[in-house]
Amino acid sequence: MLNKNIIKSIQALALKIVAGLLSYLVFIVLARILSADNYGQFAVYFSVLMLVALFGSLGQSNFFLKQVEITRLNGFSDKIVSSFSLYTNIIGILIGGIIWAFFLIYQSSNSIIVFLVGLLFIFLFSISQTFMGMLRSYGLVNYFVFVRDVLWRLLTLCMVYFLYVFSAELGYESALVVFSIALIIPVTFCLSRLYYLGVLSFNFNDFSYGCKRGWLKVSFSLAIISIVSSSDGYLFNILTGYLFTVKEAGGFFASLKTIELVSVFLMAVSLVFSKDYAYLLARRNVVALQRKCNIAIVTQTVPVLFCFSIIVFFGDIVLKLFNESFVEYLTLLKIMAVAMLINTLTGSTGSLMQLGGLHWTHVKLQTLSILIGILSAFPLSILYGVEGIGWAYLVSKIIWNFLAVYWIRNKIGIDPSIFAFFGNYNGCNKFLQSDIKHMSPI
């Protein structure tokens, strides 16, 4: 069983890295074949759609995984939770569609194609999030990551290249169409696998049962947690488009995707270590948990420092991969790279807070940090131009990560950051060499 779990973790790590690289490549190719303004407009619309689609799932990716285990223990069928999740997802998609319509009205956009393609994307991405929870509950997380994250980006890349070869001119509308259409096949694969497993159900009585049990309230709570955890980069990109031109939004988006690629290392380490975190938190083994966090911080810091140095010394080349005109945003990229480095050096704060029962504290702290960052963006953008958005993003990351470390130290009793080494927190420094060698403190 241990070997099987290790193999699955390595597979998940590899798939996440491949998905991250493919995603980065897709956005580079788009930036090279679209004009700077068209790419910026695409970046703003894509950011809005991602936020709306994430909310549209109403937290069902985590809700199904959580609730189905409780339902099984009580002797009920998985289909009760399945019906509730699908009906709830429809509610979220309808709300998302209304939000998308109001956004386009605010933008004075009268493009029917953009509206319809946006609705398609919201539907497909939202439902795929729900399918993720269902597949995870059957131990098929790697199947989902391959189909939704890897295959989707691969299909998008192929379709973009096809359009580039056979079309004289591409606009942001074409890019949105490609991203949406390419998602149909992965969602269909997930749907067919779930149908084969016999988990899908659409019984309205089961939805009513869930409402009586308060499941809808829990779903909205999980939706808020999900949107807050994933929103900062997209919100700052939308803000850039609002305060400046779409070209600046494109430059910010290129910088954001660059640091997101490096952040794959953080995501992968959290993915691999989260099961150990949960195990040690449940047993209140603070010393072993501290030693596990020490291993994690070393594991993720080394590759991120290497990537950070590349951005500092060769950032202009990185931005040229997107568009020659984006080189003027080199300082912005470096500022955001510092934010990424702080994120790395403070450790797996988000995972530990959610696993340690501090999920609502997580939401409050991250919401506070994002709000302060957005508010500071207005005066900073006046003083420093588009680079002010980068400084505001950095402010947001500093507030969130240092507050999170403070809360984890006080409530859980460990320090997940690099600073634990300097104070020999929990006296674990003497074990570091052997822990790194064996990759385990227990």
Side-chain angles (χ1 to χ4, degrees):
M1 181 64 71
L2 181 61
N3 290 336
K4 186 177 180 181
N5 287 335
I6 291 173
I7 291 170
K8 281 189 174 182
S9 295
I10 293 172
Q11 288 174 342
L13 174 62
L15 286 170
K16 282 290 183 184
I17 291 173
V18 170
L21 289 170
L22 281 173
S23 177
Y24 195 58
L25 185 59
V26 167
F27 289 115
I28 286 175
V29 171
L30 272 179
R32 295 189 70 85
I33 64 179
L34 296 177
S35 67
D37 286 345
N38 265 291
Y39 185 71
Q41 188 66 68
F42 162 78
V44 172
Y45 281 161
F46 183 78
S47 297
V48 173
L49 284 172
M50 282 297 295
L51 288 174
V52 173
L54 283 169
F55 176 79
S57 67
L58 285 183
Q60 294 311 299
S61 60
N62 289 321
F63 176 84
F64 186 92
L65 185 65
K66 170 181 176 292
Q67 193 61 47
V68 78
E69 293 296 336
I70 299 172
T71 305
R72 287 169 183 169
L73 282 174
N74 292 331
F76 293 103
S77 169
D78 295 0
K79 291 186 176 181
I80 292 177
V81 188
S82 175
S83 295
F84 174 83
S85 289
L86 291 173
Y87 273 105
T88 304
N89 207 160
I90 289 173
I91 294 172
I93 289 168
L94 291 174
I95 295 172
I98 293 170
I99 295 171
W100 175 237
F102 274 110
F103 174 76
L104 291 179
I105 292 170
Y106 173 77
Q107 289 278 302
S108 301
S109 173
N110 57 2
S111 174
I112 299 298
I113 293 176
V114 171
F115 173 67
L116 293 177
V117 167
L119 289 181
L120 178 63
F121 182 86
I122 292 167
F123 171 76
L124 291 172
F125 194 87
S126 295
I127 204 76
S128 75
Q129 290 291 101
T130 299
F131 288 167
M132 175 174 67
M134 294 179 178
L135 289 167
R136 283 168 68 194
S137 71
Y138 283 85
L140 295 171
V141 62
N142 287 351
Y143 174 84
F144 175 83
V145 173
F146 173 76
V147 170
R148 210 283 300 272
D149 293 344
V150 175
L151 183 60
W152 175 35
R153 289 168 172 87
L154 197 57
L155 290 170
T156 303
L157 191 61
C158 293
M159 291 176 67
V160 167
Y161 180 76
F162 179 84
L163 286 175
Y164 176 63
V165 171
F166 293 97
S167 177
E169 184 178 350
L170 286 176
Y172 66 88
E173 300 96 336
S174 304
L176 292 172
V177 169
V178 167
F179 266 83
S180 301
I181 298 297
L183 196 50
I184 293 175
I185 293 177
V187 169
T188 303
F189 274 128
C190 291
L191 179 64
S192 61
R193 189 64 181 267
L194 289 167
Y195 179 80
Y196 174 77
L197 291 170
V199 67
L200 294 176
S201 177
F202 213 60
N203 189 332
F204 186 78
N205 290 330
D206 292 335
F207 174 72
S208 302
Y209 171 80
C211 291
K212 292 175 183 176
R213 302 280 294 184
W215 290 0
L216 202 58
K217 182 179 179 181
V218 176
S219 294
F220 272 99
S221 301
L222 290 172
I224 293 170
I225 292 172
S226 175
I227 200 74
V228 169
S229 300
S230 311
S231 65
D232 55 352
Y234 294 122
L235 284 174
F236 279 99
N237 189 69
I238 296 166
L239 184 63
T240 306
Y242 174 76
L243 292 176
F244 299 96
T245 66
V246 288
K247 182 187 174 185
E248 274 78 20
F252 181 90
F253 194 70
S255 301
L256 177 66
K257 289 303 166 184
T258 299
I259 65 168
E260 279 186 359
L261 176 63
V262 181
S263 297
V264 168
F265 291 109
L266 281 70
M267 189 190 314
V269 169
S270 292
L271 185 69
V272 172
F273 282 70
S274 58
K275 195 166 188 177
D276 293 334
Y277 293 155
Y279 176 87
L280 296 170
L281 280 164
R283 285 153 182 79
R284 301 184 184 277
N285 193 336
V286 174
V287 174
L289 181 59
Q290 180 66 60
R291 290 167 64 181
K292 180 62 74 172
C293 288
N294 289 354
I295 298 169
I297 198 71
V298 171
T299 304
Q300 67 190 34
T301 298
V302 173
V304 170
L305 279 175
F306 173 75
C307 295
F308 178 77
S309 63
I310 290 177
I311 291 173
V312 170
F313 294 108
F314 305 104
D316 54 338
I317 297 174
V318 172
L319 289 173
K320 279 182 181 178
L321 291 174
F322 288 87
N323 191 297
E324 292 281 343
S325 64
F326 287 169
V327 176
E328 64 183 283
Y329 307 119
L330 177 58
T331 304
L332 173 63
L333 173 60
K334 290 180 179 180
I335 294 169
M336 294 179 68
V338 173
M340 172 206 66
L341 188 61
I342 289 171
N343 220 26
T344 303
L345 297 178
T346 47
S348 303
T349 48
S351 295
L352 286 165
M353 292 192 80
Q354 292 193 29
L355 293 170
L358 300 173
H359 44 280
W360 280 116
T361 303
H362 177 191
V363 171
K364 291 173 185 177
L365 293 181
Q366 195 150 24
T367 302
L368 175 66
S369 65
I370 291 172
L371 284 174
I372 292 174
I374 289 175
L375 290 174
S376 67
F378 290 91
L380 287 171
S381 62
I382 295 172
L383 292 172
Y384 303 107
V386 71
E387 292 167 11
I389 303 292
W391 287 115
Y393 182 79
L394 177 59
V395 166
S396 174
K397 288 297 182 184
I398 290 172
I399 293 172
W400 150 245
N401 282 292
F402 282 92
L403 282 178
V405 169
Y406 173 81
W407 238 266
I408 290 169
R409 284 177 67 120
N410 281 273
K411 299 297 181 180
I412 300 178
I414 64 158
D415 188 338
S417 73
I418 197 77
F419 306 111
F421 298 131
F422 302 118
N424 192 23
Y425 201 74
N426 285 324
C428 294
N429 283 5
K430 61 182 178 179
F431 302 108
L432 183 60
Q433 188 174 349
S434 62
D435 287 348
I436 292 294
K437 182 179 178 180
H438 301 289
M439 290 300 290
S440 177
I442 54 174

